[in-house]
Every structure is written in C-alpha cells, then in structure tokens.
Amino acid sequence: VGRPATKVSPEDPPAKAAPRRPAADDTVRVPVAKLDQTIRLMEELSSAQLAGRHRVAELRRLRGSLRKVLGRVSGGQDTSWLQADLAAILAGLDHQVREERDLSGNLDRLTAALQQQALEIRLMPIGELFGTLPRAVRDIASQLDKRVRLELAGLDIELDKRVLEGLRAPLVHLVRNAIDHGIETPEQRQGAGKEPEARLAIRASSHGGRVEVAVEDDGRGIDVDKVRRTGLARGVLPADRAEVASEREVLQLLFLPGFSTAREVTDLSGRGVGLDVVKSHIEELKGDVTVETTEGRGTVFRLTVPVSLTLQTILRARADDREYAFPHSFVEEARPISPLDLIEVAGQPALRLGNQLIPLVDLAETLGQDPAPRRRVAIIGQAAGERVAFGVDAVEEIEEVVIKPVPRGIRAPLVGGFCSAEHGRIVPVLHIPSLIKAVWAIGSRRLSATRAALREPRRILVVDDSPNTREVIRTILENAGFSVDTAKDGEEALLRLDRQMAHLVVTDIEMPRLDGFSLCRRLREQPDTAGLPIVLVTSRATDADRRRGAEVGANAYIEKGGFDQDHLVKAVRDLVG
C-alpha cells in the first residue's frame, strides 16, 4: 500500500535539497537490511556447499569399498561375506542418495532466494523518480502563467533501477506536455466553470509483476475529432477508416512519429521528445502506454512496465511443436475451450466468459504460422483494459525465470525476450500488449474490406465501460453495415451526441459517472434526442431492471448472458432500418 498522496502547489516553498548522489549510473543505494539478508543467504549457501563436499567424500569412500569387494571376488577368495558387505554398501548409497536429494532441494531454494535478493538490491522506490517533479511542475507552470497543483501517490512502490531510469524521460515529457497543451490558463479554466488551479496527479500502483504510472490532468482534454481529421489529412488514417475508427484507434495515432495537432511548437514541447519517443521508450522496457480522454474534462496517460526486466514469472504453453512463455502478470486465466463457451462474432470465434465476449484467436496464426483446426486451451491475455483469448494446445507450468533480452539487430515486436528451458532450449517470452494490438489490427483490416462496399451506413453509438465489450459490439454492427462510434460511459456519450447525432444508441447499464438508466432519462428529456432509439445490452436480467428500462424509455433490452449477435442486429435494424 502506497503512502498517502502528496500535494505540492506552485506557491509551496521548495523542498530541502536532497544529499548529492554519485553521478555514476552503475551505483544504487542499498538498505543495510537487504545487505544483511544477502550475507545470511550467502552463509547458508556456503554451508550447503560444505555439506555437498562431505557427500562427495562419503561417496568416494563407498566407491573404494565397492572396488575392494570386486577385487576379492575376482581373486577367487571365499565369497560368504559378500552379501553382508554389499548390503552395507547399498545401505550407505541409499543414505547418500537421500542426503543428496535433500541437499539439492536446499541448494535450489538458496540459489533462488539469493537470485531474488540480488535482484531486490536493484529495486528502488519510485519516489526517487517522483522527487524531481514538484520543482519541474512549479518551473513549467510559472513559465506558462498557469496554476497547477501536483498530487503524487505510490511513492514507496519499488522498481528495478534500469526500469526506473527508463521511465524518467517519458514521465518528464508527459508532465511537460500536460501543462503546456492539456491544462488551461486560470482565466480559461474559470470561463469553463473550473477552479483556476489545475490538478495534475501522478500515481504509481502495483499489479503483480507490473507497475502502472498514471499521469492525469483535469485540463481541456484531447479533441478526438481533430486527431481524426489530422490523421486523414496526413494519410496515416485510411479514408475508409476515418469515420468509423473507434476513439481508441484514433488516439493511437498520437504515438506515430511526428504526429501532432498543435499549430506551433513551443519551447517547452519542442525538445525532441514526442509521444512516439515516449511509446518507444516504454516498449523498450517491455511495457505499454495508453491514453484516455474526455474533451473538456481531462486526459490520463497510463504507463505500464514490469518491476524487473531480468526476473519474471511466466506461464509456459505449447502450440503445435513450439513452446512459448506468457508473462504471468498479463495472464488473467487459462481454461479448457468448451464448445458450449464458443460463439461466432462477425465470422470470427469468440469465447463467452461470464457476461463478456472475448475474441478467440489461434496463437500460432497471430505469430504468422499455420493455424490449427482446433486448440484445447485458451489463455486469456489482458493489457490496457483489453482482453484476448489465445488458443494453444497445452499449458505446462508457472515458474520464475531469468529473461534474456532480444539480441540487438533482431526485429521481434511481439517478443519481449527469451528464457531457457530443459536441454538448452530457448523459449520466446511473448510481449502481450503488442500481441493484443496485433489481434485488433488484423480484425480492423478484415473489417475495412467489408466496409469499403457499404454506402451511407446508419450511425450507431455504442456505450460501455468495458473496452472488450465495446469492440465486440462495434465489430458485430460494422459487419452488419452500420457506422459505429463508441463512448466509455454516459457522460462521454452525451458529449459525442452533442457533436454528431446518431441514429441509435446501444448502451450498457452499469457504468461510472452516468449509468445507462440515467443516460436514457437524459436523452428522453432533451428535445433533439427525445425520439432517439435506445437498446440496452446488459448483464442485469431481473424483471425489475426490465421494467425500469421501459420506464426510462429504452426501446429494446438484450441480456449479455444469453447474447446472440443476430438478435442484436435484428433489434437495431427493426429500429433504424
């Protein structure tokens, strides 16, 4: 659990300067307790090694006794004593085998503990990185005549020094970018009904073997439509995708080299580090970066990185005759594939998991190899709120391994490194965020061919706080010939409808900020949307929920638990033609 959030305002006096640290990059501060633990483990390992030497000496003695016995037998001497001597030697060997087994287990334990302890010595609290931010925020805000309150949380969460240093440049750029482009002047904020002092929050949180650093501001947000138009004008967003691309796809354009919607480059933002470099740095750390925004309310960038680039827990899996490793922190679960859980969505298989529909893809095919007609196990990978089920033949074991980096000069964007297996085999460790993006990219290319033949499609707004559900419903409706936009909750849906009216709304009920029932009520209260058809797609299936849906003006009610894509498409077509 991190320490309470720390708040720093531009008016606060600067903190007392920390003691100067050595300039060398190969030094770290190590708490005495960690050194004591390392020394204790080394002492135990030394004792185990001494016990091992005693075992070797005893085995040599038994080998000498056995040779004597064999010499006497071959010399033709009386062998009546043979059974007793051989029994004694066999008992000694049995004892040594047991001792050796125990010793081997102890050595394995000590080696693993010492390895873990050595890696922990490299861990540093992220507060070491955050400590430089208050002054940077004060300086930047002062230069731009802006008022910014910085909030820091999770300062005691630890990361490997290499990962921590790799986060420095991306984090500083995101902070500078937020103040320069995201946060308004005090006058602009007051005109928009906001407090003159903006809030910039940087929070670190631990998720198993990963750490997420969120950089969130309450500024003007990102104009997604402007990004869309810029992408179309620069040719990085195909014309047949421009109108139907989801917000998630459009915001990914921001991470392309040289992509910017700013009219001018300021002294603060034009320092050679753009969002493409942020993305590149984070991917070098085997992590991922995502962005969420609400126009007029703010933006949050999420940087997700492993705690260590060296030691990770992995799940071994096999597809055909190849072995793969999934970083365990990106695996939600592994489960047998049952025909009862399968459903076809827009011509592609999906896995029904509770009330969620998750795309099911063949792992080998995603990696550019030949697919199999049927896989037995699905590994549910998750990253940045998105989930994909990867079909494999078998799951073998979970273990902690040392990760070796991809050799320089080798391009393997879907591989985060390699680990060793028995008999010297090398196993690729998959980079799950890139793998999930590749799955969605393949799906988008397949959909583009279908949409190219469509003319003047009806526009549908899909509202759901689950990225996976939004994408599944979007895919179904786009394949049925509709143009689809998405929103992550009712508040965002109202903003999107204010900018561009839809022919129909498909919405979930349980969502943050503004739920589906409240969204229906708000739409029915406004003259421009009073007659807008609304379809509720939800996991809430009680009669009371259905009655409430009818009371707030929903035109159709579809349960996720018994989801049928044909039922959804029929309901939409019945309402909008």
Side-chain angles (χ1 to χ4, degrees):
V1 179
R3 294 197 293 264
T6 301
K7 298 183 180 181
V8 183
S9 296
E11 294 80 3
D12 292 341
K16 184 178 179 181
R20 296 182 63 86
R21 297 183 59 189
D25 290 336
D26 57 353
T27 61
V28 293
R29 289 181 178 179
V30 182
V32 173
K34 286 188 177 182
L35 286 177
D36 289 344
Q37 174 69 357
T38 303
I39 292 171
R40 186 187 66 77
L41 288 170
M42 291 175 63
E43 290 173 347
E44 287 191 46
L45 189 60
S46 178
S47 298
Q49 289 175 328
L50 181 61
R53 287 196 290 272
H54 290 162
R55 299 285 84 73
V56 170
E58 181 63 15
L59 287 171
R60 285 175 176 168
R61 186 190 67 77
L62 290 170
R63 182 180 62 183
S65 298
L66 186 58
R67 282 177 175 170
K68 288 180 181 179
V69 169
L70 291 174
R72 293 174 66 182
V73 170
S74 60
Q77 301 179 24
D78 178 28
T79 60
S80 58
W81 48 268
L82 182 60
Q83 184 173 359
D85 280 12
L86 287 177
I89 293 172
L90 181 60
L93 287 172
D94 286 342
H95 177 73
Q96 292 306 314
V97 167
R98 290 192 298 271
E99 290 286 316
E100 186 63 28
R101 183 184 60 220
D102 294 343
L103 177 62
S104 177
N106 193 35
L107 283 173
D108 287 345
R109 178 187 64 80
L110 288 172
T111 301
L114 188 59
Q115 184 181 58
Q116 179 66 36
Q117 187 66 22
L119 290 170
E120 287 184 3
I121 287 177
R122 293 180 55 87
L123 297 181
M124 300 171 63
I126 204 167
E128 298 256 341
L129 175 59
F130 285 5
T132 62
L133 296 177
R135 182 170 182 175
V137 169
R138 282 192 293 266
D139 291 346
I140 297 170
S142 177
Q143 291 180 51
L144 297 171
D145 293 325
K146 295 180 179 180
R147 295 175 58 188
V148 182
R149 180 179 76 255
L150 176 64
E151 299 178 1
L152 301 175
L155 280 69
D156 55 350
I157 289 175
E158 292 187 320
L159 283 170
D160 184 279
K161 181 177 185 291
R162 181 181 165 194
V163 179
L164 197 68
E165 291 300 328
L167 275 173
R168 189 177 302 277
L171 185 58
V172 170
H173 176 74
L174 290 179
V175 168
R176 184 183 297 124
N177 189 69
I179 301 174
D180 193 7
H181 297 299
I183 290 173
E184 314 94 329
T185 64
E187 295 76 19
Q188 290 171 333
R189 291 180 62 84
Q190 286 180 312
K194 299 181 180 180
E195 292 293 328
E197 183 181 58
R199 182 181 66 89
L200 177 61
I202 304 176
R203 303 184 299 271
S205 54
S206 180
H207 305 273
R210 294 177 293 146
V211 169
E212 178 188 279
V213 179
V215 181
E216 182 177 7
D217 67 73
D218 65 349
R220 59 174 57 91
I222 298 171
D223 187 337
V224 178
D225 288 336
K226 186 176 181 181
V227 177
R228 192 188 305 268
R229 292 192 301 271
T230 303
L232 180 61
R234 296 189 179 185
V236 294
L237 183 62
D240 65 329
R241 293 286 304 146
E243 291 302 321
V244 297
S246 67
E247 178 181 306
R248 178 182 59 83
E249 292 177 87
V250 172
L251 289 175
Q252 286 301 308
L253 299 177
L254 296 172
F255 297 104
L256 295 177
F259 190 96
S260 175
T261 60
R263 294 181 179 178
E264 61 182 51
V265 177
T266 68
D267 291 338
L268 285 169
S269 61
R271 298 186 177 183
V273 180
L275 289 179
D276 61 314
V277 180
V278 170
K279 179 179 173 64
S280 175
H281 279 216
I282 297 303
E283 288 185 344
E284 284 180 9
L285 298 175
K286 311 309 173 191
D288 190 34
V289 55
T290 61
V291 56
E292 301 168 16
T293 190
T294 301
E295 193 171 352
R297 293 181 176 270
T299 301
V300 55
F301 284 87
R302 302 185 189 279
L303 310 177
T304 304
V305 294
V307 172
S308 170
L309 296 177
T310 305
L311 190 66
Q312 291 186 33
T313 302
I314 58 100
L315 171 68
R316 292 187 186 273
R318 188 173 294 278
D320 299 326
D321 58 346
R322 293 182 173 89
E323 192 174 355
Y324 303 94
F326 285 73
H328 194 250
S329 59
F330 286 102
V331 174
E332 185 172 310
E333 67 171 301
R335 56 187 294 149
I337 299 176
S338 168
L340 298 176
D341 295 330
L342 293 177
I343 185 172
E344 190 172 282
V345 176
Q348 300 298 318
L351 192 67
R352 195 196 309 269
L353 189 62
N355 294 318
Q356 298 284 320
L357 295 177
I358 302 174
L360 175 63
V361 299
D362 187 282
L363 176 63
E365 183 180 18
T366 306
L367 295 172
Q369 297 153 16
D370 293 332
R374 185 177 182 275
R375 299 293 187 187
R376 294 192 294 271
V377 180
I379 297 177
I380 313 298
Q382 53 86 22
E386 297 179 352
R387 302 153 84 197
V388 171
F390 297 96
V392 299
D393 292 325
V395 171
E396 297 187 347
E397 59 183 329
I398 297 174
E399 60 180 319
E400 205 165 43
V401 297
V402 174
I403 305 295
K404 301 174 183 177
V406 177
R408 291 187 178 275
I410 295 180
R411 176 171 168 75
L414 302 182
V415 175
F418 297 90
C419 64
S420 299
E422 293 180 351
H423 310 300
R425 298 194 318 277
I426 301 298
V427 178
V429 180
L430 302 174
H431 187 234
I432 305 304
S434 296
L435 204 59
I436 290 177
K437 288 178 183 176
V439 170
W440 288 120
I442 292 171
S444 295
R445 288 195 294 271
R446 288 171 176 167
L447 290 173
S448 294
T450 302
R451 281 191 294 270
L454 301 177
R455 296 182 180 179
E456 298 181 1
R458 293 288 194 175
R459 184 171 179 272
I460 311 298
L461 178 62
V462 175
V463 190
D464 199 298
D465 62 331
S466 165
N468 240 78
T469 302
R470 289 199 303 270
E471 288 300 315
V472 167
I473 295 178
R474 181 174 71 89
T475 300
I476 292 171
L477 294 176
E478 286 182 343
N479 274 271
F482 298 101
S483 171
V484 181
D485 195 6
T486 62
K488 58 179 173 289
D489 57 37
E491 288 280 3
E492 186 179 354
L494 292 174
L495 290 173
R496 294 194 174 282
L497 290 170
D498 186 55
R499 291 199 302 266
Q500 184 179 10
M501 185 54 63
H503 294 93
L504 179 142
V505 172
V506 175
T507 181
D508 188 18
I509 291 179
E510 295 178 290
M511 298 180 293
R513 297 202 301 177
L514 189 68
D515 64 27
F517 288 141
S518 300
L519 174 62
C520 289
R521 185 179 296 107
R522 293 272 292 274
L523 292 175
R524 291 294 176 250
E525 291 172 351
Q526 299 176 11
D528 292 343
T529 57
L532 182 65
I534 303 172
V535 177
L536 292 175
V537 179
T538 176
S539 58
R540 295 170 63 161
T542 67
D543 291 339
D545 289 324
R546 287 180 172 277
R547 284 194 300 271
R548 189 177 177 193
E551 289 169 0
V552 296
N555 301 88
Y557 195 107
I558 298 175
E559 296 176 25
K560 288 182 180 178
F563 187 81
D564 184 320
Q565 63 175 343
D566 294 333
H567 185 193
L568 172 63
V569 171
K570 182 179 184 303
V572 172
R573 283 182 173 154
D574 286 346
L575 290 168
V576 298

